[in-house]
Amino acid sequence: MQALLVFCVCLGALSVKGNILNDLNSLFTFSPETDVSPSQHQLVDSSSASSEKRTNEAQSTGQVSDTATDTQSVMGRAEAVWVELNAVLERWGGTAGKLSTILRELKEEKKRLLDQGEEQKVKKKVEEEEDEDEEDDDDEEEEEEEEEEEEEEEEEEEGKEEEGNEEEENDASNSTSTQDLPEGCQVGESRVSCKHIGLSELPVITNLEVTILELPGNNLTSIPPSGFSGLPDLEELDLSLNKLDDSSFGLSLFMNLTKLKILKLDGNDLTAVPDLPSSLEDLKINNNKINQLASHSFKGMTNLKVLELTGNMLYESSIAPWAFKPLKALKVLRLDKNRFSVIPAGLPPSIEELSLQENQIVEVQGRLLDKCAHLRVLDLSRNHLKENSFYPEAWIKLPKLETLDLSHNQMAVVPSDLPKGLRQLSLQHNHIHSIPPYSLSHLRPGLQILHLSHNLLEEYGVLGKSFRGVYQTLVELHLDNNRFERVPHNMRHFKNLKLLRLDHNRISSVPVKSVCKVKRTEDSPLTTVHLEYNYINVNKIPRAAFSCIRDSSGIILEPQTQTQGY
């Protein structure tokens, strides 16, 4: 349309020349029969052919839009006319130059339109390719998701199969272990227990995960060096109550058990401590025939915390001076039922609990406990101790000693040189007939529990000053199984006493002021009073006798010992 408009403008410009207009009219009305010069026909044919060729190429490629194709056709025809017109107008000089300029503009416009059509075609093609790529990507993502789901399902199935196989293998392993073990053995998750079934040799154990092996009460006499080689993770081993002696163990039998923590060798025929691994934390060799502890007996056992040697043949001279030195971490040492006459020397400084009950100890020397600054519990019961068996400096260097058991000895009075920090003192089953005044007054912060049962105490043996220093701190007082004929009058002076035992005595009456202070307005902390197995007429006890006790269920009066006239 633009080409036609320009063409009309050009016609208006040429209207000033009449002869030119006539020539133009002849051009627009020419036909194949018109007599045209050869040069003109060639130009027209050439232009037409060129135009038709371009049009055919554009149509054959199909790469331009319909609008661009129509424009190309119109421009081709216009170009042919202008070529012929240019030939005619060459005869008129300057006018042809103007028309040539217009023709060039028309050609440029044609080229722009063709380029625009090509751009639209390329853009459309790119969009189509992008759409195809997006569709391909979506298809690929769907395929990948399906493949991932299939892989996950396969992995789950494989995992279930593997778990099933592992369970079957474990069941098979456990069943195999059970079948290999003698009758009477029991198998747990990590425990094999064959107690008191008459074994004469070690059972075959195929389960490598066993950590606890219990073989007490059998007839084992020897163990081969490789006896526990199949149990690398063994942590606890019980070989007590067998027939093992010093020749029953190879030098490396226990040394190969690098994870062993607890070893029980009670009730055998050992005379010496065997070579043991450094991993041990708890060692029990009670009731054997051990008669000496050499300097190398506990070599390398720096992790041992509990050592029990009860019921052996040890005495003070049978222990080498440096026997306990390797035991840097030892907390508990039990040497009961041996033959000690004094506390053994060279005890580990780390020790917190020492038990020497049922020996033959007749005295306690301070120098033997000098280095035991961490000692909290000392049991010296069932020995031959008397009130004068304790050296004055015996307890000076034991600031942490809180519990002292001196029961079942031969003391006639409560010893006066007791450890200052005591909180619990056991003196039952002695021959004590009195508590000397101020015997307990030096204790700080003060005694809380005092056991004086099964002695020979009478009223005059516990005078007012006997308990001086513990009236504010004592919580439990055991005076049962003595010889009291009446309730000691100083019982009412305790401020924090909760338990009072006066049963199994010879008490016949409970006066009003014997247990409670009548004028006291606040309730007493006393919750339990034992007065059974005496000679008390319960019906004659004054109501005010137990007025300070809130709960009457804590007053134990029955049964009483029957006497004539009661």
Side-chain angles (χ1 to χ4, degrees):
M1 295 299 292
Q2 292 178 355
L4 291 176
L5 181 61
V6 174
F7 179 69
C8 293
V9 173
C10 293
L11 288 180
L14 295 174
S15 62
V16 294
K17 294 185 183 287
N19 54 350
I20 294 175
L21 183 58
N22 292 330
D23 290 336
L24 291 173
N25 289 331
S26 64
L27 283 172
F28 280 99
T29 58
F30 80 91
S31 64
E33 289 83 11
T34 306
D35 186 11
V36 184
S37 63
S39 61
Q40 292 173 345
H41 281 291
Q42 290 175 357
L43 289 171
V44 173
D45 293 340
S46 175
S47 299
S48 299
S50 176
S51 178
E52 291 175 358
K53 182 177 181 181
R54 292 189 181 92
T55 302
N56 292 334
E57 289 177 354
Q59 292 177 349
S60 62
T61 57
Q63 299 176 349
V64 185
S65 63
D66 293 340
T67 304
T69 303
D70 294 340
T71 304
Q72 181 181 6
S73 176
V74 174
M75 290 296 297
R77 290 193 297 272
E79 182 180 7
V81 173
W82 280 108
V83 169
E84 186 174 357
L85 179 62
N86 186 57
V88 175
L89 293 178
E90 284 180 355
R91 297 192 294 263
W92 299 303
T95 305
K98 296 178 179 179
L99 292 177
S100 296
T101 302
I102 294 172
L103 182 61
R104 283 195 302 273
E105 293 177 355
L106 290 173
K107 287 181 179 180
E108 291 176 357
E109 183 66 17
K110 172 187 174 183
K111 182 178 180 182
R112 187 184 66 80
L113 292 173
L114 291 174
D115 293 340
Q116 184 176 358
E118 185 68 21
E119 289 177 358
Q120 292 178 354
K121 174 232 175 180
V122 172
K123 182 177 181 182
K124 183 176 181 181
K125 185 175 180 181
V126 170
E127 291 177 354
E128 291 177 353
E129 290 177 352
E130 290 179 352
D131 293 338
E132 291 178 357
D133 292 340
E134 290 178 358
E135 292 177 358
D136 293 339
D137 292 340
D138 293 338
D139 294 339
E140 290 178 359
E141 290 179 358
E142 291 178 358
E143 291 177 358
E144 290 177 357
E145 291 177 357
E146 292 177 357
E147 291 178 357
E148 290 178 358
E149 291 177 357
E150 291 177 357
E151 290 178 357
E152 290 178 357
E153 292 177 356
E154 291 177 357
E155 290 178 356
E156 290 179 359
E157 293 177 357
E158 291 177 357
K160 291 179 179 179
E161 292 178 358
E162 290 178 357
E163 290 179 359
N165 293 334
E166 289 179 358
E167 291 178 358
E168 291 177 359
E169 290 177 358
N170 292 334
D171 293 340
S173 176
N174 291 333
S175 62
T176 302
S177 299
T178 305
Q179 291 174 0
D180 292 342
L181 291 174
E183 184 179 357
C185 292
Q186 297 179 354
V187 179
E189 293 182 358
S190 60
R191 180 193 298 265
V192 174
S193 182
C194 302
K195 298 181 179 180
H196 304 280
I197 59 174
L199 291 177
S200 59
E201 58 183 16
L202 286 180
V204 178
I205 300 174
T206 59
N207 187 356
L208 300 179
E209 297 180 355
V210 171
T211 59
I212 301 175
L213 178 59
E214 298 174 332
L215 301 170
N218 286 287
N219 298 317
L220 298 176
T221 57
S222 64
I223 299 176
S226 60
F228 304 113
S229 59
L231 302 172
D233 296 328
L234 196 63
E235 296 180 0
E236 182 175 342
L237 176 60
D238 188 351
L239 291 171
S240 57
L241 300 174
N242 278 279
K243 297 179 180 180
L244 301 170
D245 56 26
D246 300 335
S247 62
S248 301
F249 310 112
L251 294 176
S252 61
L253 176 63
F254 296 115
M255 302 303 290
N256 293 327
L257 301 176
T258 57
K259 296 184 179 180
L260 191 64
K261 294 182 179 180
I262 301 175
L263 177 60
K264 299 177 183 179
L265 296 170
D266 301 339
N268 283 282
D269 295 323
L270 300 174
T271 62
V273 178
D275 292 333
L276 299 170
S278 60
S279 58
L280 270 186
E281 296 181 1
D282 191 330
L283 174 61
K284 294 179 173 60
I285 318 182
N286 301 311
N287 301 310
N288 277 269
K289 298 177 181 179
I290 297 176
N291 54 26
Q292 63 175 346
L293 295 178
S295 298
H296 62 273
S297 295
F298 305 109
K299 183 179 180 180
M301 300 179 66
T302 56
N303 294 311
L304 195 65
K305 297 178 181 178
V306 178
L307 174 60
E308 296 186 6
L309 289 164
T310 296
N312 284 281
M313 299 179 179
L314 294 169
Y315 53 98
E316 53 271 18
S317 299
S318 67
I319 300 178
W322 306 108
F324 296 118
K325 187 176 181 180
L327 305 179
K328 304 294 186 181
L330 193 67
K331 303 296 183 183
V332 179
L333 176 59
R334 301 191 186 281
L335 298 171
D336 308 327
K337 298 182 179 180
N338 278 278
R339 300 177 180 178
F340 294 102
S341 60
V342 295
I343 296 176
L347 295 174
S350 60
I351 194 172
E352 296 180 1
E353 296 184 22
L354 174 61
S355 182
L356 283 162
Q357 64 172 276
E358 204 164 339
N359 276 276
Q360 301 171 8
I361 298 176
V362 296
E363 62 181 8
V364 178
Q365 300 176 9
R367 62 182 180 84
L368 298 176
L369 296 172
D370 282 352
K371 295 183 179 180
C372 300
H374 298 284
L375 192 64
R376 296 185 301 102
V377 179
L378 177 59
D379 189 348
L380 294 173
S381 62
R382 300 182 183 275
N383 280 279
H384 303 301
L385 293 170
K386 298 181 179 181
E387 60 273 12
N388 57 0
S389 298
F390 307 96
Y391 282 58
E393 72 280 5
W395 321 107
I396 292 177
K397 296 186 178 180
L398 299 176
K400 295 185 178 180
L401 186 62
E402 295 182 350
T403 302
L404 177 61
D405 192 345
L406 298 174
S407 60
H408 293 274
N409 277 284
Q410 301 174 7
M411 286 180 283
V413 297
V414 174
S416 57
D417 296 319
L418 292 170
K420 184 178 180 179
L422 273 188
R423 305 293 281 173
Q424 179 174 340
L425 174 61
S426 297
L427 289 167
Q428 66 268 26
H429 291 279
N430 275 276
H431 306 301
I432 297 174
H433 56 78
S434 67
I435 305 174
Y438 304 103
S439 297
L440 308 174
S441 61
H442 68 287
L443 303 181
R444 296 289 184 276
L447 203 63
Q448 291 183 331
I449 300 174
L450 176 58
H451 289 268
L452 286 167
S453 306
H454 294 275
N455 278 285
L456 305 174
L457 289 169
E458 299 181 24
E459 300 89 81
Y460 66 84
V462 288
L463 298 175
K465 296 180 181 179
S466 297
F467 295 106
R468 183 66 61 88
V470 297
Y471 280 122
Q472 302 291 334
T473 61
L474 207 61
V475 176
E476 292 184 18
L477 177 58
H478 297 251
L479 295 172
D480 56 284
N481 290 279
N482 278 280
R483 298 181 177 181
F484 293 104
E485 294 183 359
R486 56 178 296 175
V487 177
H489 69 278
N490 51 6
M491 295 296 102
R492 60 181 179 175
H493 297 304
F494 290 102
K495 305 298 183 182
N496 292 290
L497 194 65
K498 295 182 179 180
L499 171 63
L500 173 61
R501 293 200 61 169
L502 284 167
D503 55 285
H504 292 88
N505 276 280
R506 302 173 181 178
I507 300 172
S508 59
S509 64
V510 183
V512 173
K513 297 182 180 180
S514 60
V515 176
C516 298
K517 284 185 177 181
V518 177
K519 296 182 179 180
R520 187 172 181 174
T521 56
E522 69 274 12
D523 293 329
S524 170
L526 192 62
T527 58
T528 305
V529 177
H530 286 269
L531 282 166
E532 70 271 23
Y533 292 104
N534 278 284
Y535 300 104
I536 302 172
N537 188 338
V538 176
N539 297 323
K540 293 183 178 181
I541 298 176
R543 292 185 178 180
F546 302 113
S547 60
C548 61
I549 301 175
R550 179 179 300 178
D551 188 358
S552 61
S553 63
I555 305 172
I556 314 299
L557 297 173
E558 299 290 351
Q560 292 292 324
T561 302
Q562 296 295 326
T563 60
Q564 186 177 2
Y566 173 72

